[in-house]
Each structure stands twice: as C-alpha cells, then as structure tokens.
Amino acid sequence: MAELLYRLGRFAAHRPWRVITGWVLALALAVGGFLAFGGTLTSSMSIPGTETDRVTAELQGELDDLGGATGTVVFQTDDGAAFTDEQQAAIGELLAGIGELDGVADVVDPFEADAQRTDAQAQLDDGAAQLDAAEQQLDDGRAQLDAAEQQLDAGQAQLDAAVEQAKAAGAYDAAAAQFAAQQAQLDAGQAELEAKRAELESGAEELATQRVQFDAGVRLADAASEISTVSDDGATALGAVMFEEDLFSLPDEQKSAVAAELDGADIDGVAIDYSSEIAASIDGLIGAGEIIGVVLALLVLIIMFRALLPAVLPILSSLVGVGVGVAGSLAFSGVVDMSSVTPVLGVMLGLAVGIDYALFIFNRHRRQLLAGMELDESIALANGTSGNAVVFAGSTVLVALLALNVTGIPFLGVMGTVGAVCVLIAVIVAVTLSPALLGLIGPRVLSRRARAQIGHAEHAQPELKPMKTSRALLRAGIAIVALLVVAIPALSMRLGLPDGSSEAADSTQYRAYTAVADAFGAGQNGTLLVTVSLPEGLDEDGVVPAQAELAELLHGQPGVVAVAPVGVSDDRDFLAFQVVPEDGPSSVSTEELVHELRSLSPLGAADAGLDGTGELALGVAGQASGNIDISEKLANVLPLYLGLVVGLSMIILILVFRSILVPLIATAGFVLSLFAAFGAVVAIFQWGWLGPLFDVHDPGPVLNFAPIIIMGVLFGLAMDYQLFLVSGMREAWVHGVPARTAVVAGLRGGRAVVTAAAIIMAAVFGGFVFSHLTMVRPLGFGLAAGVLLDAFVVRMLLIPAIMHLLGEKAWWLPKWLDRLLPDVDVEGAALERTHPVHGAAPAAPGLEPDDVEPAPAGAGRD
C-alpha cells in the first residue's frame, strides 16, 4: 500500500491539473445526481417492530383517520384580549385552506371545536333537565295510574256489593243486564289502565336506557373536561393539522407546505406559531456556528504552518470531499429513507477528518522539504508514509461507522453508511488531491523564512530523557481520576428525542410549545393515543357506557390529566382514546405513564367495568410513546455496539503495534474518554450546567442516538491519535531506543501534529454545537468534548505515563502470535528506508534524524 501511494503521490504532483479537474468533475456529478435524483428527508426517526409501530399500524387499519401525525398550530392575540369574530373567521379560513393541501387528512378549527364542546355541554345540561322532567312525568303518570286503579278497584267493590245485595233481594235477574254493562265498563277501564301502564313502563325502560347513556356521557365529559382548544381568557387557540402519514414517515415537503401557508398568513392582531411536527426542516446544512468552526480550524493551520496558502489548502480539499460525499449520498435519498441529521453527520465528519488527514500529509511533506528533500520526491514519500497512515486511520473510522448497521436500526445504519462514505471520500481526497495541490504550489508550502532554512540544521533538539516514574504515576492518576469525575453524570443519562422545549428560544416551535404549556398545560404538547381491543363487538347502546368505564379507568392512572374517546371501529370491537399527561413528552412522568398504561394489558373485562369474561388488550402510541420505544431500543443495543467496537479495537491495535498490553491500555483509554464525553453531554444537555453558554434553556433527555454515534466516531478518531503517537514510540523502540526513552521520542515527534489535528477537529465539531438543528447540537458537543479529552488527556497524558510504567513489557507479544500476524507497516517505514530524507539515516516516524542516536549494531528488535 505504501508503495502504491508513493507512486500515486508522484503522479498527482507531476500532473496536478488532471487530478484537480477529476475532482471538480466528481463534484459536479455528485451535485447533478442530487439535483436529478435526490428525494426528501425526514426529521423523524422510526424503528420497525416497536410497540408504538405496532399500535400505529393497528390504528391505521382500524381507524384510518387516526394513524397520521398531528401538528399543533397556536394562535395568540397580540394584545392578550379575546379573539374577535373577524379574527376567528380568518383563522377558520386559513385552516380550511390548509386542509386542502396534499397529504393533509383533516384540520381542526379551534373555535368550531370549542363551540361544539360548549354545545355538547349545553346539550348535557338540557338533557339532564329533560331527563329529570321525563322521570317526573313518569312518576306523575304512575301516580295517576295508581289513583285510577284505586278508583277502578273501588268501583269494582261497589259493583260486587250491589250484585250481592240484588241476589239477596231476589232482584238480580231484573238488573243483570245493568250489572253486566257496568262490569264491562269496569273491565274496559282496567284494560285501558293496563295498556297505559305498559306504555308507561316501556317509556320508563327507554328513559332508563337514556339515563345510562346520559350518565356515561357526563362521565366522559368529566374525564375530558381539561381538554380544550381555546384558553380560559380567550386569547390563545389551538388548531390542529392531521396528516395522512404517521409521524415517523411524514415527508418533509408536506410539513414545509403547511409551514409555508402558516408563515404567509397575515391575520391582523394575531401571532401564529406551530409545533415541531410542522416546523421541522433541514434547510441549510451549514450555519454560522459551523462556519466559525472552519475559521478556527484555518487559524490553527495558519499558526502551525506560518503561511496562509498551505493553511487554506487542507480546508479547500476537505470541502471538495464533503461536497462529493454528501451530495453523492443525497442523490440516493429518493430510494433510501434518510433522516435530516444524516447529511449533517456527513458534513461534520467530512470536514473534520478531511482537514486532519490533509494536515498529516502536508506536515510530513513540510518536514521533509526542510530536511532538504527534492520537492516531488517529498510529496510522493509523504503520500506513501503519512498517506498510508491516513488510509489505515480512515479505515478504523469506516469500520466503526459501518458497524452501526449491525444494530438492526435502519435510520442509524443509514447514518453510519453515509458517514462512512464521507470519510472514505475524505481519505481518497487526502491521498490524491492533497499531493496534487502540493505539486501545484511547489515550495510555497513553506513560508519565505522557512524556505531560506531548507537543508540547514534546526535548533538543536534537547536530549531525550525518559520521564520520572513518580511523574508517570502522578500523570496517570490525575488523568484517570479526572476522566472518572467527568464521567459521573453519565450514570444518570436518560435518552429521548428533543421536543419543542429544546428548540431555540426564538423559534416558532419553542414559542408554540411554551404557549401551549402556559395556556393548556405541558401535557397538551405530547398527548398519547391509547387503544383498547375488545374480545367481541359491542352493541350500539353499549359503546358509550364502555367508553365511559374505560375513560375513567385511564383517567384514574397517576399522571393523567384528561381522557377523551376519539374513535370506534366499524365492528365496535376497537376503541381509541386521547390521553393527556401532566407533563411534556420528554418528561420522566410521561415515560412512567406509558409503561404504566402498557402494564395494564391484558385487562379482564370485569376489571374494566365491562360485561363479559374476556380480556382487553391495551396499546399506546403517539410521539412520546414512539420516543420512548426508540430510546429503549437504542439503549439496549449500546452494550452490543460497545463490545463490537472494543473487540475491533483490540484486533486492529494488536495487528498494528504487535503487542498485547498496548491495545489493552489504548482500548481502556478509549472507554474512559468515551464515558467522560457522555458525562459532559449529560451535564450540559440533561442537567443544564452552563446552559446559557450552550443555549440550553430547557434541559431534557440526551438525544437517544447521540451516544452510539459518538461511540462509533470517537473510536475511529481515538485510534487515529493512538496510531500517530504510539507508532512513533514503537518505531523508535524498534530502532534501538530504550522503551521508556522511546515513549518520549514518540510523544515529542507526534504531539505537535496531533495537537493541531485535535484542535481542528474539536473546532469543526464545536461549530455544530450552535447549529439551528436541535438534534445536531449534542452530537457536535459530544464529539468535540470526546476528541479533546481523548487527545489531550488519554493519548498525550495517560497513555505515555502507562507506557513508561510498563517499560519493555509494553511490547510483549507471544512468539506464536508474532509469527501469525502480518507486517502491516502502517507508517510506511520500509518505504522510508528506501527513500531516505536527503541521504540521512532513516528516523522513527514523526522524528527528525537528530532526535535519536543511530542504533548500535544488533540493537534492533524484530
């Protein structure tokens, strides 16, 4: 590989414009592919097979109009007064127009809904009076019938007495016809009375049924009494936009169309904001923070190179790589589902590693030129040595990112694949475009002052002395304790997806979230959908009482503010309810409520207050439920992925360093820096420490896929720094330098470039901390913190200290394993020996020839 890269570097240096033209064409093709074939991205994440996914599919199958996502539109009067009739009418017209947009299933006019709620309550009030009056009429009717029956009984008694008297007097026959007529009259009256009584009892039964339905309606109204669309002061109203697609597959273009209608609305005296379900957008992958990060990287390069032109070129080459990688990946977004964060991750990684990888090659070339090597030979050798290391370092990042596919989480696998593609492009750009740019600018890669010193001896290097053992112990102790202290907050890490409260304070999502929370309660921002599957269908009269029983059951759960029925299937064996929790969708109490509701299933019919002996199945869906399911699935795969990454780390490092202990301490250091990065993320974004500095005004759970992304990326970058520092230690040791002295040699030779690389990478990642995309901020912060901790605390403080303490034992490797392992020659030492710098004896990678004394005969270690 080193020889191939050497020849590639020489070709690029001799024909720079061919290489540059090739990359310009590649960039044009990538952008053209994106414009021609690129699809839409989604701001939502989903994982097939979760409970929310199952319940959502069930809802769509049973109740077509309830399976889609629902966005909230908040209307507020500017003066705090109640809405006027004109304002209400304008709001209704606006929502009606939105209801005609493609992908919108229905809209809810808050004033119509409030009027319906008021009418329903009035009907209940009227119904109560009517039922009371009807029951009073029944009682009066019964009293009248009882009085009439008493009169009939009295008439019958009188007739019977008259008959007896007539018989006793012997006058019965003469009056028989008269007695018969009277009896017939009484019998007719009795029959009429019985008919009226039967009619009255029939009415009583119907009235009893109505009373059951009415009481059930009252119970439902009580359970839903806290749900409203217009605030008590009449100054805030909540409209709703119901989409055909569910939250996790809703195309961004449909949300953007709704947002455009709302942004373009102009209702006098009314402010309009809308929730994150509508406002989520991917417009603008690069913002002010990201640009500042690149500018900081440029400043670091200028300080390091002491010249503007060579400082600009690594950034230019990285931008080309980012353009090709991100645009090329987005060209497949029409056939592959991609989240909005996916291209941002590609930009973040492409910029950071692209600048760093070019820096390694540029730095090696500059040192060789200063030592007196011919220009083209220096470019080729830098590409064959440092370029070889770049290929290996990039491979570790590729492996870590591609390993995200083993998690079985589709959106995470796509993110890892796109990130890996961008890193791969960055590696290819580094070993092709970098030597071409170096060939194009020629000796101007050095400042005028540096060019005047080419071939001259530098200031004498201080004598290499191993650090004191006591100092090594102190350094190791301080580093470990510091990392463990920073990692403490990670013990309380909660995972979730950001809601409106996490958005920028000046965003429409945040204003909508806070307005809803203030006027209607925080739980209104994250309502749940609870489904109940019955063992058999209900009759028509049984639906409302069953809904009332179930609503009261749900309302009785801790943390539930209100419950309202929202749908019944055609077979009346599937019911759906809207459940409003006390707190927002990302709160601990809402998470506990979701688990509590799910734990109720299966539920006996009798326990639910229903007739029958079967069992009811309860399901929970909605934004909060989906976030909880995704977070739990991601938390479950974290240990698996960590184990995979650690295992890969051990294998790769054993192969590179031909040692057992060096990979062990390198991997342990990675784990320490990883958990310290997690702790820093929790402290800032979950606990709210230094919140104003990082624009964290409402702390919440950590972005659920941030830990696994940070883990994968940080692994690759940690191995980069391990390679560029420890390989210098090994090379010095192989050339006869004592093990503890070799530690100092490798650290001195590599710390400058690793320091610059870490600062550049942290600057690029840190720029994303202030991104307008909420989900990007914790990623940028976690990666920036992880890089700084790993580079400066682990690689340049802890690892050298432990390597010193281990001494010669650090390089121990069983002989049988040594024979099996291939010689990967990551730093291209063999190539360097065949192409010495200006005729000088080959030095350890990262060292100047004067840094070490030539090894005595027989001192080498093979």
Side-chain angles (χ1 to χ4, degrees):
M1 176 63 76
E3 186 64 35
L4 174 63
L5 292 173
Y6 172 87
R7 293 197 299 268
L8 181 61
R10 181 172 285 278
F11 170 83
H14 284 168
R15 300 169 179 83
W17 284 112
R18 290 189 183 182
V19 176
I20 293 171
T21 302
W23 278 111
V24 171
L25 290 175
L27 180 60
L29 286 173
V31 173
F34 166 60
L35 296 176
F37 306 109
T40 59
L41 306 181
T42 176
S43 300
S44 303
M45 317 291 174
S46 65
I47 301 179
T50 62
E51 178 65 9
T52 298
D53 185 67
R54 182 193 67 80
V55 175
T56 300
E58 194 174 25
L59 272 167
Q60 291 176 330
E62 297 284 352
L63 305 168
D64 291 340
D65 55 341
L66 285 183
T70 300
T72 301
V73 184
V74 181
F75 302 93
Q76 290 181 294
T77 57
D78 295 337
D79 57 3
F83 290 96
T84 64
D85 292 341
E86 292 78 9
Q87 290 171 335
Q88 293 182 21
I91 291 172
E93 291 177 4
L94 172 63
L95 291 172
I98 291 174
E100 300 298 323
L101 295 176
D102 183 43
V104 176
D106 198 4
V107 294
V108 174
D109 183 329
F111 304 106
E112 286 186 4
D114 186 66
Q116 292 171 359
R117 178 171 172 264
T118 303
D119 291 344
Q121 186 60 50
Q123 290 175 2
L124 285 176
D125 295 340
D126 292 342
Q130 292 172 2
L131 283 173
D132 291 341
E135 287 175 347
Q136 184 61 49
Q137 289 177 356
L138 278 175
D139 291 339
D140 293 343
R142 286 194 182 98
Q144 292 173 0
L145 289 176
D146 290 341
E149 189 164 7
Q150 289 177 357
Q151 290 177 354
L152 283 175
D153 291 341
Q156 185 66 52
Q158 292 175 355
L159 179 60
D160 292 342
V163 169
E164 290 299 325
Q165 288 177 358
K167 288 181 178 179
Y172 176 77
D173 292 337
Q178 184 180 356
F179 287 148
Q182 292 176 351
Q183 186 63 52
Q185 186 177 2
L186 287 173
D187 291 342
Q190 185 65 40
E192 183 180 357
L193 186 63
E194 291 176 355
K196 289 182 178 180
R197 189 177 293 282
E199 181 180 352
L200 188 66
E201 293 307 321
S202 175
E205 291 178 1
E206 182 179 352
L207 191 60
T209 300
Q210 293 176 358
R211 172 62 71 178
V212 170
Q213 297 289 324
F214 175 78
D215 290 341
V218 171
R219 292 158 63 193
L220 285 175
D222 290 341
S225 60
E226 296 298 320
I227 300 176
S228 61
T229 55
V230 179
S231 62
D232 294 337
D233 60 5
T236 304
L238 301 184
V241 178
M242 292 175 282
F243 295 94
E244 295 174 356
E245 297 291 335
D246 63 82
L247 178 65
F248 303 107
S249 57
L250 180 61
D252 191 72
E253 63 210 18
Q254 294 183 4
K255 293 184 288 186
S256 298
V258 174
E261 289 290 327
L262 294 172
D263 291 335
D266 184 14
I267 302 176
D268 187 36
V270 176
I272 304 174
D273 291 299
Y274 39 90
S275 65
S276 56
E277 290 83 3
I278 298 173
S281 174
I282 61 162
D283 293 339
L285 297 180
I286 299 294
E290 293 86 336
I291 294 174
I292 292 173
V294 173
V295 171
L296 289 176
L298 177 61
L299 291 177
V300 173
L301 290 171
I302 292 174
I303 293 172
M304 184 176 183
F305 291 157
R306 306 298 175 92
L308 178 61
L309 184 58
V312 170
L313 294 183
I315 294 178
L316 179 62
S317 65
S318 71
L319 290 175
V320 172
V322 166
V324 174
V326 174
S329 299
L330 288 175
F332 293 92
S333 59
V335 293
V336 177
D337 291 334
M338 290 186 186
S339 70
S340 59
V341 182
T342 301
V344 180
L345 180 65
V347 171
M348 192 186 303
L349 290 176
L351 279 175
V353 302
I355 296 173
D356 272 10
Y357 292 164
L359 166 64
F360 294 143
I361 296 173
F362 273 54
N363 185 64
R364 183 60 174 260
H365 171 54
R366 283 166 52 85
R367 288 196 295 106
Q368 292 170 169
L369 280 185
L370 286 171
M373 181 173 278
E374 185 268 329
L375 180 68
D376 289 348
E377 176 69 8
S378 176
I379 294 173
L381 185 59
N383 211 50
T385 53
S386 290
N388 195 44
V390 163
V391 170
F392 175 80
S395 299
T396 62
V397 183
L398 285 176
V399 169
L401 290 171
L402 291 174
L404 290 171
N405 287 278
V406 307
T407 62
I409 300 174
F411 78 84
L412 203 58
V414 172
M415 289 176 66
T417 301
V418 170
V421 168
C422 291
V423 171
L424 176 62
I425 298 297
V427 170
I428 298 174
V429 166
V431 298
T432 56
L433 186 58
S434 292
L437 294 174
L438 289 173
L440 192 64
I441 66 173
R444 286 177 295 172
V445 72
L446 298 174
S447 65
R448 290 183 180 180
R449 180 178 180 183
R451 290 199 295 270
Q453 297 177 353
I454 290 178
H456 294 281
E458 297 280 350
H459 294 292
Q461 295 287 345
E463 181 183 357
L464 289 176
K465 293 182 180 179
M467 72 180 76
K468 294 180 180 180
T469 300
S470 59
R471 185 179 180 186
L473 284 170
L474 180 63
R475 290 174 61 167
I478 291 175
I480 292 173
V481 170
L483 290 170
L484 289 176
V485 169
V486 176
I488 288 175
L491 297 174
S492 63
M493 182 167 61
R494 286 182 58 237
L495 299 180
L497 280 174
D499 54 30
S501 64
S502 303
E503 300 289 346
D506 60 349
S507 66
T508 185
Q509 305 98 296
Y510 182 78
R511 291 194 300 267
Y513 186 97
T514 53
V516 171
D518 292 342
F520 304 94
Q524 196 74 28
N525 283 299
T527 59
L528 303 173
L529 277 175
V530 177
T531 64
V532 181
S533 298
L534 305 175
E536 57 184 18
L538 300 167
D539 56 39
E540 292 187 6
D541 291 336
V543 171
V544 176
Q547 287 178 324
E549 292 289 347
L550 292 169
E552 289 183 338
L553 173 70
L554 297 173
H555 194 257
Q557 303 306 310
V560 174
V561 171
V563 179
V566 292
V568 181
S569 66
D570 294 337
D571 297 332
R572 296 188 292 275
D573 61 352
F574 184 85
L575 310 179
F577 298 85
Q578 179 188 23
V579 176
V580 180
E582 287 181 354
D583 298 315
S586 62
S587 66
V588 175
S589 64
T590 300
E591 181 178 348
E592 293 173 347
L593 174 60
V594 170
H595 290 303
E596 184 66 28
L597 292 173
R598 286 175 174 170
S599 69
L600 295 176
S601 184
L603 180 67
D607 296 332
L610 305 183
D611 296 334
T613 57
E615 290 185 336
L616 286 64
L618 274 67
V620 183
Q623 177 188 0
S625 170
N627 292 351
I628 290 168
D629 286 345
I630 295 173
S631 300
E632 290 181 349
K633 182 70 178 290
L634 287 165
N636 291 335
V637 301
L638 266 177
L640 169 67
Y641 185 68
L642 178 60
L644 177 64
V645 166
V646 168
L648 289 171
S649 170
M650 288 295 299
I651 294 172
I652 292 172
L653 293 178
I654 289 174
L655 186 65
V656 172
F657 297 119
R658 309 185 75 82
S659 166
I660 297 296
L661 294 180
V662 170
L664 280 174
I665 61 176
T667 303
F670 159 68
V671 173
L672 281 174
S673 61
L674 173 67
F675 281 97
F678 288 171
V681 171
V682 170
I684 299 298
F685 292 92
Q686 183 176 319
W687 290 4
W689 290 7
L690 302 177
L693 178 62
F694 294 98
D695 195 25
V696 180
H697 42 74
D698 290 80
V702 174
L703 178 67
N704 51 26
F705 59 86
I708 201 166
I709 292 291
I710 293 171
M711 186 185 300
V713 175
L714 188 58
F715 163 73
L717 302 180
M719 295 308 101
D720 288 359
Y721 300 142
Q722 179 78 7
L723 169 67
F724 284 104
L725 284 172
V726 181
S727 61
M729 300 177 189
R730 174 174 174 78
E731 199 66 24
W733 178 76
V734 168
H735 281 81
V737 179
R740 290 180 171 175
T741 306
V743 171
V744 179
L747 183 61
R748 179 175 296 169
R751 64 188 175 190
V753 68
V754 169
T755 297
I759 293 175
I760 288 170
M761 196 162 288
V764 174
F765 288 149
F768 287 86
V769 175
F770 304 98
S771 171
H772 65 292
L773 296 176
T774 304
M775 287 189 286
V776 173
R777 296 175 188 170
L779 282 176
F781 178 83
L783 289 173
V787 164
L788 292 175
L789 290 169
D790 192 85
F792 292 105
V793 180
V794 174
R795 306 302 153 190
M796 288 195 283
L797 188 65
L798 178 61
I799 296 298
I802 296 180
M803 293 282 289
H804 172 88
L805 295 174
L806 291 174
E808 298 286 338
K809 297 183 182 66
W811 303 110
W812 173 79
L813 184 71
K815 291 183 179 180
W816 63 268
L817 184 57
D818 187 36
R819 289 192 297 269
L820 291 176
L821 294 178
D823 184 8
V824 295
D825 190 20
V826 173
E827 274 286 349
L831 177 68
E832 189 177 12
R833 284 192 290 270
T834 62
H835 299 271
V837 179
H838 201 56
L847 299 176
E848 301 297 341
D850 294 335
D851 284 346
V852 297
E853 297 179 0
R861 297 170 177 83
D862 295 320

